[in-house]
Amino acid sequence: PDATELPTVTDACGITVTPKYAGATRYPYKLSDGSWTVSKVDHKYKYTACDGTTKDWKYTAVVKDLKPEVTCHADINENTDAGKDYATITLDDPTVDDVCGTPTYAITYSPAIPTGATTTNASGQYPMGKTTVTYTVTDNIGQTATCSFTVTVGDDEKPVIVAPADVEVDNYAAVPAVFTTLEEFLAGGGTVSDNFGIDNNSFRYENVSDGNKCPETFTRTYYIKDVNGNEASDVQLVKVN
């Protein structure tokens, strides 16, 4: 305390005695709510009267440790790596602060830990969808603090579709039938692929003539979607001479 908070003592000589600081003793201390303080400190003062007699006085200060603080990364939205079903995310360590020492932290993930990530490093290969990353910080007296953020991975990569080779025939009787199903398309030499998977039911086609005769060209456009709704197309030309 400052001088105005110390007891005022007058000795037998009528003199106001000025105390001398006699040091402090620090103790670990547990508050009534069960939380720990950094310390309890007994500050001691000694008063000496004009006849040489002394009297000690002390006051006790309880200094409560503030909980640690942790600041997480902002929420992240990324698309998958090219040709992959995950996004490679590199993350810095969180910002951690505590008034007494350096706290430790552990990381948990929901619904599952990404490939390459650990309980102390959140960088890794995050799967399609939303992953919640939570940091739990613990200081040297067991107090904790948490923060969380989400990593949301989307798929904007179109599937790959390759139509069969162009065809040129001499008469209409030789014009091949258009592929009306994915099975026919694949059997005829076409291919489809995607980093997540193909929606087989999304296969469709257009068969458009240029309106000419001798020669007449049919433009056959084949379409396919992946399981996340991205669509791609490719063209096969059929020319009738």
Side-chain angles (χ1 to χ4, degrees):
D2 60 33
T4 61
E5 296 174 312
L6 294 174
T8 300
V9 176
T10 303
D11 63 12
C13 301
I15 299 172
T16 299
V17 180
T18 301
K20 291 185 178 180
Y21 186 63
T25 304
R26 299 171 64 89
Y27 306 92
Y29 188 75
K30 192 173 185 179
L31 297 174
S32 59
D33 64 3
S35 61
W36 286 90
T37 67
V38 172
S39 63
K40 179 180 75 171
V41 184
D42 287 341
H43 292 278
K44 298 176 182 178
Y45 290 83
K46 184 178 291 291
Y47 292 81
T48 303
C50 60
D51 62 359
T53 59
T54 61
K55 183 71 174 180
D56 292 333
W57 180 84
K58 74 174 182 178
Y59 81 94
T60 301
V62 176
V63 183
K64 188 174 182 179
D65 185 18
L66 299 175
K67 287 186 176 182
E69 296 181 353
V70 55
T71 303
C72 274
H73 199 288
D75 291 344
I76 296 173
N77 294 279
E78 287 288 348
N79 287 308
T80 54
D81 297 351
K84 305 296 183 182
D85 60 357
Y86 58 80
T88 302
I89 306 293
T90 301
L91 294 166
D92 296 330
D93 293 337
T95 302
V96 178
D97 188 32
D98 188 60
V99 297
C100 187
T102 302
T104 60
Y105 65 86
I107 312 171
T108 56
Y109 308 85
S110 179
I113 184 170
T115 300
T118 68
T119 57
T120 57
N121 187 339
S123 298
Q125 297 171 349
Y126 282 74
M128 177 79 173
K130 180 181 290 187
T131 300
T132 300
V133 182
T134 301
Y135 288 88
T136 300
V137 175
T138 305
D139 67 12
N140 57 2
I141 60 172
Q143 297 187 114
T144 62
T146 63
C147 71
S148 299
F149 65 98
T150 60
V151 177
T152 303
V153 177
D155 175 31
D156 67 349
E157 185 173 347
K158 292 182 178 181
V160 176
I161 180 170
V162 179
D166 294 343
V167 176
E168 189 169 334
V169 296
D170 292 330
N171 57 74
Y172 287 99
V175 173
V178 67
F179 303 119
T180 61
T181 67
L182 179 59
E183 291 74 14
E184 292 175 353
F185 179 81
L186 297 176
T191 61
V192 293
S193 62
D194 186 70
N195 55 332
F196 275 98
I198 294 296
D199 177 3
N200 293 343
N201 295 325
S202 70
F203 179 82
R204 64 186 181 91
Y205 66 92
E206 295 174 349
N207 185 29
V208 180
S209 169
D210 64 3
N212 298 321
K213 299 294 182 181
C214 297
E216 181 179 6
T217 299
F218 295 91
T219 299
R220 295 176 174 177
T221 305
Y222 295 98
Y223 300 85
I224 197 71
K225 291 182 180 180
D226 65 16
V227 293
N228 295 313
N230 300 303
E231 186 174 61
S233 64
D234 197 25
V235 170
Q236 179 192 39
L237 299 179
V238 178
K239 185 177 182 180
V240 184
N241 290 322

